[in-house]
Amino acid sequence: MTRVYGTGTYDFRRHRVAEYPLESKAVELSQKPGGGGGISSTITLSEIQRDRITKIAEANWLKTADAATEAEKNPFDAELVKKIYETELVVKEGQKPVPLQRVMILEVSQYLENYLWPNFDPQSATFEHVMSIILMVNEKFRENVAAWGCFYDRKDVFKGFLERVLRLKEGRELSIAEKTNYLVFMINAFQSLEDEVVSMTVLRLASLKSWYSLSYGRFQMELCLNPGLIKKWKRMARKESVKGGQHLDPSTTPEVTFLRNLIEEFLEILNSQVFPRRQLSGEDDELIDASGLGLANDACILYCERFMEFLIDLLSQLPTRRYLRPLVADVAVVAKCHLSTLYRHEKGKLFAQLVDLLQFYEGFEINDHTGTQLTDHEVLEFHYSRLQSFQLHVFKKMDKLRELALTNIGSIHKRADLSKKLSVFSPEDLRDLVCCKLKLVSKEDPWSERVDFLIEVMVSFFEKQQSQKEAINALPLYPNEQIMWDESVVPSINYSGEGCLALPKLNLQFLTLHDYLLRNFNLFRLESTYEIREDIQEAIPHLLAYINNDGETAFRGWSRMGVPIKEFKISEVKQPNIGEVKPSSVTAEVTFSISSYRAQIRSEWNALKEHDVLFLLSIRPSFEPLSAEEEGKASVPQKLGLQYVRGCEIIEIRDEEGTLMNDFSGKIKRDEWKPPKGDLRTITVALDTAQYHMDVTNIAEKGGEDVYGTFNVLMRRKPKENNFKAILESIRDLMNEYCIVPKWLENIFLGYGDPSAAQWTNMPDLLETVDFKDTFIDADHLKGSFVDYEVSFVNPDGTENLNPRPPFKIKLPRMLKGSGGALDGSAVSTAGAVNGISVVDGNHQKERLIIETYTPPDPGPYPQDQPKQNIVRFTSTQVEAIISGIQPGLTMVVGPPGTGKTDTAVQILNVLYHNCPSQRTLIITHSNQALNDLFEKIMQRDVPARYLLRLGQGEQELATDLDFSRQGRVNAMLVRRLELLSEVARLAMSLQLPEDVGYTCETAGYFWLLHVYSRWEQFLAACAENKDKPTFVRDRFPFKEFFSDTPHPVFTGESFEKDMRAAMGCFRHLKTMFQELEECRAFELLKSTADRANYLMTKQAKIVAMTCTHAALKRKDFLQLGFKYDNLLMEESAQILEIETFIPMLLQRQEDGHARLKRCILIGDHHQLPPVVKNMAFQKYSHMDQSLFTRFVRLGIPYIELNAQGRARPSIAKLYNWRYRNLGDLPYVKEASVFHKANAGFAYDYQLVDVPDYLGKGETTPSPWFYQNEGEAEYIVSVYIYMRLLGYPANKISILTTYNGQKLLIRDIINRRCVPYDFIGPPSKVATVDKFQGQQNDFILLSLVRTRFVGHLRDVRRLVVAMSRARLGLYVFCRRSLFEQCYELQPTFQLLLKRPDHLALNMSEITSYTERGVEDSEPRDHIYLVSGIEEMSSIIDRLYQEKSRHQSVQNGSYFSHSAPSLNTDVVQSQQQTVANSMPEQADDMDIPDDSDGAEKVDNHIAGDLPRESNIEDVTMVDSSASVPNGSPTP
C-alpha cells in the first residue's frame, strides 16, 4: 500500500473543507459498532432515512413526485412543531447553542420551506414556531446559502414574523442557548441590510428614537455636540404625540427598549452567570478554580462573545452606528467588560480580543453624522480641546486637582499618569465628577458606586488613543509564532461557523476608506499567515530534529523547503528615522549548505533572488519523545519543537567564493556571469525593523531570550504563493497616503448614496457623438440594436442616406431607452424582452435616432494599411454594454457562461481607442489565461500593436508571434525604427535626394517637413485649380515612384475624384510612417534598456494589461515612474478579492487633489464561483471571498446582464439559465447543425445517472475532508471508455468532480484502465469544478461524490459552474435521493429528473457519427437503460469485441495490439484503487490541476495530450517516499 503522508505522528495536511465537521460526540454516536475505522464521519444517508425526524418529515412535509403520497400528508399541527423543538432543537446543557446534526437533518428535509413558513401566522404562531424558524435561518447562514429567499412569497407575513421576533422576549425568560440563537439571528439580520424587508424592520431599532433610552446627561451632551439633531428630535417627538394620542409612552416601544434591554441582559450574564459564585458545601471534590470562582459556564462565554460580535457589527456600519454608539457609550459597555472577570481569565482570551475590537470601533476616527473621516490633525485637536476644557473645569471647581489643571497635556494623557492623578479623589467626589459634571454615565447605574469603574470610564474618555496609522506602521508585516497559532485570530481549517472570531468582517458598507483598507489589511495578513503556517507545518517534520549528545539541536532528515543554518549574524542596525523609535533598517547574513540536495532542488535554492521572502525558524525539540497524553495536550509548536518564527527579505545572495548570484540590478554584466561555485550560500537579508524593535525591547525590559541567537532553519516558499509582503506593503502605503478614489465613485464604493449615481447617464462630460467604427456589421444590425427608436441615416452634409453602410457615428441621447439590462442589482427584469429585443406598443410614437454615415478615408495602398474588421454580430444588450463602457462612469457587465463578455470588452477597448486616442486604458484580470484570451482578441481589432503592452509573468504563454512584454515591445520598436528609416531612405531616393536623411529619426523629421510635406502642399494647391482633368492626379502626384511597388496600380486616370482619394490614402500611409518614426525617437535618445522600457510603459503604450496580483506587487514602482491611465477595465472581476480590485484603481498619483480615473468597467459573473480563500473561517465568518463586483450587485448598483449564450445546446443551457434574469440563446446555437445532432450512442444530450452504493459503500473519507466515491469513479471511467470506443475524440471529453479526493481517484482509475491502451488514452482534463471555471468542452462527465450531505454543491454558484461547462453533452453521476431534496438546487434537478435516472444508451449506434436529431422521438426498443456499473462494463466489453471483429473483417486489424478485455480489473483490486488514489501529501484543496491547466480545452488535439499518469496534482514537500528518513542524500 502506498504510504500516505500526514496521517502518522504529524497530522498537518492542508484541507479544502467541503462542509462543517460535526461534534465529536455526535460522530461517535453515528458510527456503527466496530465500523468506521477510526475516521471521523458524518452520519450516513441510510441512518438519516431511518432517523425519526426523516420519518416525521415524510409523513408531514417532504415533497415527492407521487401525487397520491402528497395527498396523504398530514395537516399542519402546531403541537408537532412544539414537540420537534423541545425534543430535537433545545440544548439542555453544554456549550453548543444548537444540536448541529439535528438542525442539519431538519434543514436538509426542507422543514422551513415546506412546513414552518407556509403555515406561519404572525398572530397565532407559538414561541416554538418562531424559534424554529430562527434556528433554520441561522443554519442557512452557517451553511452560506441564501436564507431569506423562501420568505418572499409572503412579504407581509415576513414583516409580521420580524415583528414577532422583536417582541419574542416579552413576558418570557429564555434559556442561555435560546438567547444565543436569538442573538445570532439578529447578527444575521443586521448583516443583510441589502434585503429590503429585513432592513426596513431592523433599521428602526437603530433610529433616533432609540435615544429615549439614553440617560438625561448623555442625551444633553449628544444634542450639544450635534445641534442639527435638535430640530429632528422635536419633529419626531411631535409626530409621536400625534400618532399615539395622549397616553403613548414612547419609551415602551421596541425601538427604544430593544438594544438597552439586550445590553442589560448581557451585563447581567457577564457578571453573575459566566462564573457562578457557588455556596461552598464543604465537599472535597467541589470544582472551584484558583480565583475562588465556580467553573466557567462555556455557554455563557459563547453568548458574551456573540454579544460583542453583535455590538461590533452595529458600530462598524454607519446606518446603525450613527444613533447606537451613544447608547453603547452611555452604558459604558467597554469599561464594564474591561473590569469583568472574564476579560482577565484564560478562557476569556477571545472575549478580550473582541472587547478591544469593540473599543476600537467605538472610538473610530469618523464624524458619525456626516460620515466624513477625521484626519489625524482633527483627532488630535479634538483630544486636546477635550482635555483643556476638563482642566479648565477642574481649575475653577476642584482645588484637589489644581496640579492636574496646571500640568501640561503631554504628562496626563497617558493611562497610568491620569489614573494616578485621579486617585486623590474620594469616591463621592469622583462619582459626582463622572456622573453629574461630565455626565459620562448615569447616577442610577449600579456600577457608579465602584471607584475602579469610575476611573476606568474617565481614563477611557480622556486618554490619547494610538492612531490607526501609527498602529499599522508599528506592526510587523511578517507573522511570528504567537499570532500563527492563535486560534481566535487564525483559526484552524475546521472552523464550523458555530462560534465567533476576533476578526473584522467585509460586509456591504464601510465607515471610511481607511476602515476599508484596515479590515482588508488585517484579513489579508491573517490569510497569508495561515498559508505560511501550513507551509511550516509541512516542511519541519521532514527535518527530523533531535537533541544530540552536546545538548544541541541536530537534524537527521531533510526537507525540500527548509535547510539547516550554518551561521547567522546581524551585520548592521541603522539609526531610527526622525520621529520613529524602530531602526530604519536591520540586515543580517545567513549561511547554509545545499550539499545534501540533488540537482533539481539545488537549482531551486540557487534561484533565490532579491526581494524573495524567507523565514528564519528556531527549532528546539524535546529531549524525550512526547507521550500519547502529552501529545494530545501539546500545541502544534510544541509538537514541532518550534520556538520562534521571523520573516526576512533577500537583499543579495552569494556563492562560496563570495560572487554575487541572480543579480538584476546591473552590478554584474551579462558576459561576466559565471555559474555559482561550491555548496555554501550566504544570503544578506533585511529583517523586519518593527519586529526587531519589539524583540530587543522585550530582552531589555523583561529579560527575554535573544531570539536572533537561536535560528537554526531557513525556510523558503513557492514563489507564486510568496508575494504577500508586497501586497501588504501596498495596502499599508495606501493607508499612509491621503488616498483619493474618484469623487464620482467614493460614496458608492463605501456603500452609501444613490446606487445609480456613477452610471453614465448621471455623469458630466459625456461623449455626445460616438464613432462606433466596426461595431455594427450592417444597417440592419444597427436597427436591431435600437428597436425602441426610429433610426434615420444621414450623410455628413445632413442629407438622407438611403443605402447606409458602416461605419456609423451616433449622437447618443442622455437617457437611452431599452436599457432593460441595466437594472439595479436587487430588481427583477419585468420588461417583456426576449433575447434583448424589447416589445414595443404598436401605437407608441418612437423617438428618432439620427445616425451619421461617412466614408472612411482611404487607409493606404498596401495590404498592411487595411484596418482589421470585427466579425461579431453583437446583440442589443452587448451594444448597450459597449455604449455604457465608452462613456465616463462605472459600468458593470454581468456575463453569464458563453455570452461573449471578452468580445464585448475588446470592442469597448477598440471604440474607446478610436474615440479618445489620447487616453490610456489599464486592463486587469484575475488569471494570466484570461489576460491572454483578451489580448489575442485585441490583436484582431484595429488597434496598432505598438500601443499594446502586457506586464507580468504570463506574456510568454500568448499564442502569438509578437512579444508584448516590455522588453519585447522595446525590441519591436527598435526593429520597426530600422524598417521605417530604410523606407525613408527609399522615399528620398525616389525624390532624387541624398539617402542620409534616413540616418536618424530626427533627420527623418526634418526631411518630412522640408521635402515631403512641402511637396504635398504644392500638389494640393495645383489640384485645386485642375479638378476638371481626370489624369491630373496620376500625372502630377509627387510620390508616384515610391508607390510603384504596390500590389495594384494606385491611379487609374479615369476620374479625378477617384485618383484624389487614392492620393490621400498614399499620403496617409506616409504620414503614419513619419508619425511612427517620431514615436521611435525616444527609443533612439534613451540608451539603457530600463529607461526605454519605462518610457514605453508610461508614455507610449495606450493599452496596458496585467493581472491584479502584478498590480498589487508593483504599485510602488508604478507611482515612482509616474504611470498614468484614464480608464480601467477589469475582466473576471467577480473572481478577484475586494482589495485586489481596489489597488488597481490607485496605481497613479492624484493630479491637483483629483483622481484622473474617468471610467471603471467591471465585467464578471457573481453567479459563478467567488475568489479563492483557503481558510474557511475568513471565508465564512469574515466574508473575505466577497468580490467588489458582488458587493456592488448586492448594493443595488445598476448592471447590464448579457442575455444570449452561444456555448451550449439550448436544452443544456436550461439547466442553469434559471439563475439569470433573461438568458436566451444566440441564433447560432439554434441553427448550427452540430447542436441539432444527437450524441451518438446516448439516448439523451443530458442526463442524471443515479449511482447506488458500490460494494456496500457510497462516499468515503480515507482521511478527513478527503471525499471519494468509488462507484461514481468507476462508472464515469466506464462511460468515458464507451465514448472512446464509439470514436469520440479524447480531447473533446472532460471529467469533472466537486472534490479533489475524487479527482485523484478518477485519475488513478484512468491510469489503470485507459492509459495502457493507445486507442483510449486519457481525457482532455480530469479536474475539479472550481479549477475548470472559465473553460469548456463538448462533453462533460460530472461526479458529485456525496451520499450523506450535499456538501459545498449547495452553493448555487458551484452548481452553475458545473452545469455550464458542456457544449453538447452533460452526464451527471450522483445519488438521486440526496440531491433531489436539496432546496437550493431544485430548478436544475427537477429538469434533470424529468428523464430516466438510469443511463440511457442507444445500442443501435456503434460509431460517433449519427444522423439522428437531438429532438427525434426514438423507437423505445433502441433506448437501453443500464442497470449499473457491472452492466456498463459488460456493454463496453461487447462493444469492444464487436468493433474488433468489424475492423478485422474490413482491414485486418483495428487496434495496434490485441488488448485484453477492458473490464477485467473493474471489480478486482478495489481496495488498492482507493489506497493508490492518495499519493504522498495529496491536498484536498483547490491547487492547480495540471501543468496545462491554463490551456483552452477546445484547442487540444488528441495527439498533443499530456499523459495524466505523469501529471500528479499533488504537492510533494520532499521526495522522501523513496528515501528512508534520516538518509542524508535525497
Side-chain angles (χ1 to χ4, degrees), residues 36-252:
I39 292 167
S40 70
S41 164
T42 52
I43 50 181
T44 64
L45 184 67
S46 58
E47 285 169 315
I48 291 174
Q49 286 164 346
R50 288 200 303 272
D51 192 278
R52 61 176 180 269
I53 292 180
T54 312
K55 288 180 178 165
I56 295 170
E58 283 168 355
N60 293 280
W61 67 79
L62 212 56
K63 288 191 175 169
T64 58
D66 186 359
T69 317
E70 281 294 302
E72 290 170 14
K73 291 272 191 281
N74 298 332
F76 174 73
D77 180 6
E79 281 302 311
L80 178 63
V81 173
K82 186 175 181 181
K83 183 183 166 193
I84 290 175
Y85 180 72
E86 288 172 351
T87 57
E88 304 292 348
L89 299 176
V90 171
V91 173
K92 303 288 191 292
E93 57 184 22
Q95 180 194 359
K96 300 286 173 74
V98 288
L100 195 53
Q101 275 197 334
R102 315 308 287 157
V103 174
M104 282 175 83
I105 294 173
L106 275 169
E107 204 273 321
V108 165
S109 73
Q110 299 181 40
Y111 184 42
L112 173 64
E113 293 87 354
N114 294 349
Y115 201 67
L116 291 176
W117 180 242
N119 300 301
F120 181 81
D121 176 24
Q123 272 70 46
S124 62
T126 60
F127 166 81
E128 289 80 11
H129 197 148
V130 178
M131 274 309 291
S132 298
I133 293 179
I134 283 175
L135 289 177
M136 292 300 113
V137 170
N138 288 351
E139 174 59 15
K140 282 188 179 292
F141 270 97
R142 193 187 72 83
E143 296 238 14
N144 229 18
V145 293
W148 308 114
C150 68
F151 295 103
Y152 270 77
D153 53 351
R154 301 160 72 211
K155 277 196 180 183
D156 292 338
V157 182
F158 186 30
K159 287 178 191 169
F161 162 70
L162 291 170
E163 292 296 335
R164 274 296 304 272
V165 170
L166 298 189
R167 297 182 180 273
L168 191 64
K169 292 187 175 185
E170 291 176 7
R172 184 178 183 115
E173 182 58 35
L174 274 60
S175 70
I176 190 68
E178 287 171 334
K179 286 175 181 173
T180 306
N181 292 325
Y182 183 81
L183 198 54
V184 171
F185 180 84
M186 293 314 299
I187 289 169
N188 292 333
F190 276 105
Q191 290 279 302
S192 305
L193 294 183
E194 79 273 26
D195 190 288
E196 192 184 350
V197 180
V198 177
S199 67
M200 270 168 49
T201 309
V202 299
L203 283 181
R204 275 177 27 220
L205 306 175
S207 64
L208 184 59
K209 202 172 173 185
S210 63
W211 280 15
Y212 273 113
S213 65
L214 287 178
S215 64
Y216 185 64
R218 172 70 66 170
F219 177 67
Q220 283 180 312
M221 185 165 76
E222 289 296 330
L223 287 183
C224 286
L225 287 170
N226 303 287
L229 289 176
I230 297 172
K231 278 185 185 175
K232 193 173 179 182
W233 177 267
K234 286 177 178 171
R235 203 163 52 241
M236 185 194 74
R238 271 200 308 274
K239 271 188 193 170
E240 288 296 327
S241 60
V242 170
K243 191 166 60 180
Q246 296 300 310
H247 309 293
L248 183 73
D249 178 8
S251 61
T252 59

Side-chain angles (χ1 to χ4, degrees), residues 42 255 536 703 753 800 958 1088 1183 1255 1341 1349 1359 1370 1481:
T42 52
E255 290 94 326
I536 290 174
E800 190 177 357
L958 268 168
S1088 84
H1183 315 300
L1255 302 179
L1341 306 177
F1349 284 104
L1359 178 84
L1370 173 68
Q1481 295 291 331

Side-chain angles (χ1 to χ4, degrees), residues 365-434:
E365 300 158 357
I366 185 175
N367 181 324
D368 291 344
H369 296 282
T370 61
T372 51
Q373 182 175 334
L374 302 177
T375 63
D376 288 351
H377 178 68
E378 287 169 333
V379 172
L380 207 58
E381 284 292 305
F382 183 66
H383 167 68
Y384 285 157
S385 65
R386 183 187 268 183
L387 259 177
Q388 280 168 344
S389 46
F390 173 57
Q391 283 182 306
L392 197 63
H393 175 81
V394 167
F395 183 76
K396 287 178 183 174
K397 305 279 173 80
M398 298 178 179
D399 290 340
K400 278 186 188 176
L401 286 182
R402 184 59 60 92
E403 187 191 341
L404 185 144
L406 295 173
T407 189
N408 68 326
I409 283 180
S411 63
I412 55 168
H413 70 188
K414 289 193 177 135
R415 174 171 278 268
D417 300 334
L418 198 53
S419 304
K420 197 173 173 185
K421 293 274 194 296
L422 291 171
S423 60
V424 300
F425 267 116
S426 67
E428 290 74 26
D429 290 346
L430 191 60
R431 188 177 180 206
D432 181 61
L433 174 67
V434 175

Side-chain angles (χ1 to χ4, degrees), residues 256-422:
V256 179
T257 58
F258 183 79
L259 188 64
R260 189 80 185 208
N261 290 349
L262 268 182
I263 291 176
E264 284 168 5
E265 179 183 87
F266 156 72
L267 291 171
E268 168 65 25
I269 290 170
L270 179 65
N271 292 322
S272 60
Q273 294 182 29
V274 173
F275 295 101
R277 294 195 174 273
R278 301 189 177 183
Q279 295 295 319
L280 293 180
S281 61
E283 297 286 337
D284 292 342
D285 58 350
E286 183 146 27
L287 298 171
I288 302 292
D289 74 3
S291 59
L293 299 167
L295 277 186
N297 182 330
D298 288 340
C300 290
I301 292 175
L302 179 64
Y303 173 82
C304 292
E305 290 166 354
R306 281 291 194 186
F307 193 81
M308 284 295 103
E309 179 194 348
F310 176 59
L311 288 185
I312 289 164
D313 283 358
L314 292 180
L315 296 194
S316 60
Q317 294 186 113
L318 203 54
T320 49
R321 173 192 179 84
R322 190 167 275 140
Y323 300 119
L324 296 185
R325 191 190 63 81
L327 207 63
V328 175
D330 188 35
V331 190
V333 175
V334 172
K336 289 172 182 174
C337 289
H338 277 151
L339 295 172
S340 68
T341 312
L342 181 59
Y343 186 82
R344 300 183 300 278
H345 195 274
E346 62 176 354
K347 282 206 167 184
K349 186 178 177 187
L350 173 57
F351 175 74
Q353 289 170 327
L354 287 161
V355 171
D356 294 343
L357 195 55
L358 176 65
Q359 184 180 18
F360 167 74
Y361 273 111
E362 192 187 332
F364 194 82
E365 300 158 357
I366 185 175
N367 181 324
D368 291 344
H369 296 282
T370 61
T372 51
Q373 182 175 334
L374 302 177
T375 63
D376 288 351
H377 178 68
E378 287 169 333
V379 172
L380 207 58
E381 284 292 305
F382 183 66
H383 167 68
Y384 285 157
S385 65
R386 183 187 268 183
L387 259 177
Q388 280 168 344
S389 46
F390 173 57
Q391 283 182 306
L392 197 63
H393 175 81
V394 167
F395 183 76
K396 287 178 183 174
K397 305 279 173 80
M398 298 178 179
D399 290 340
K400 278 186 188 176
L401 286 182
R402 184 59 60 92
E403 187 191 341
L404 185 144
L406 295 173
T407 189
N408 68 326
I409 283 180
S411 63
I412 55 168
H413 70 188
K414 289 193 177 135
R415 174 171 278 268
D417 300 334
L418 198 53
S419 304
K420 197 173 173 185
K421 293 274 194 296
L422 291 171

Side-chain angles (χ1 to χ4, degrees), residues 509-627:
Q509 298 170 315
F510 298 90
L511 296 176
T512 61
L513 276 178
H514 201 85
D515 176 40
Y516 173 83
L517 288 166
L518 193 69
R519 293 193 214 183
N520 276 289
F521 178 86
N522 286 326
L523 283 175
F524 196 90
R525 180 168 169 262
L526 295 172
E527 166 75 356
S528 53
T529 298
Y530 168 74
E531 292 174 23
I532 293 162
R533 181 177 86 183
E534 296 294 304
D535 286 342
I536 290 174
Q537 290 179 176
E538 265 179 25
I540 290 182
H542 296 276
L543 286 167
L544 302 175
Y546 69 100
I547 300 293
N548 64 16
N549 295 337
D550 300 332
E552 292 176 357
T553 305
F555 303 96
R556 290 197 192 94
W558 63 277
S559 172
R560 183 177 201 151
M561 308 307 274
V563 63
I565 291 173
K566 296 274 186 200
E567 187 186 2
F568 175 88
K569 64 178 182 197
I570 289 182
S571 52
E572 186 181 26
V573 180
K574 286 192 177 173
Q575 290 286 329
N577 294 327
I578 294 169
E580 292 184 353
V581 289
K582 63 182 185 186
S584 56
S585 79
V586 181
T587 51
E589 288 188 358
V590 190
T591 306
F592 62 93
S593 168
I594 55 170
S595 59
S596 62
Y597 289 126
R598 69 166 82 101
Q600 185 197 345
I601 303 175
R602 286 169 79 111
S603 65
E604 288 173 12
W605 282 97
N606 283 334
L608 291 174
K609 59 185 185 299
E610 189 183 9
H611 300 309
D612 280 357
V613 172
L614 301 173
F615 288 89
L616 298 159
L617 313 179
S618 174
I619 296 177
R620 203 178 300 147
S622 56
F623 190 73
E624 291 288 326
L626 297 175
S627 66

Side-chain angles (χ1 to χ4, degrees), residues 165 275 305 307 454 663 722 730 977 1270 1414 1526:
V165 170
F275 295 101
E305 290 166 354
F307 193 81
L454 295 171
D663 172 58
N722 208 20
S730 289
R977 171 181 166 271
E1270 200 179 343
V1414 73

Side-chain angles (χ1 to χ4, degrees), residues 1135 1168-1169 1172 1294-1300 1302-1303 1325-1336 1340-1345 1352-1353 1355-1365 1370 1372 1485-1487 1489:
Q1135 285 179 263
Q1168 295 187 56
L1169 285 164
V1172 174
S1294 292
I1295 298 177
L1296 302 184
T1297 174
T1298 44
Y1299 291 95
N1300 267 304
Q1302 182 75 345
K1303 175 188 69 184
K1325 263 302 167 57
V1326 180
T1328 57
V1329 169
D1330 297 48
K1331 279 292 166 195
F1332 207 68
Q1333 181 164 340
Q1335 301 175 60
Q1336 63 185 51
I1340 297 289
L1341 306 177
L1342 173 66
S1343 165
L1344 300 185
V1345 187
H1352 67 192
L1353 194 73
D1355 186 337
V1356 181
R1357 297 172 297 186
R1358 189 167 278 105
L1359 178 84
V1360 169
V1361 175
M1363 295 295 132
S1364 59
R1365 300 304 98 199
L1370 173 68
V1372 182
M1485 296 189 54
D1486 291 331
I1487 44 184
D1489 277 306

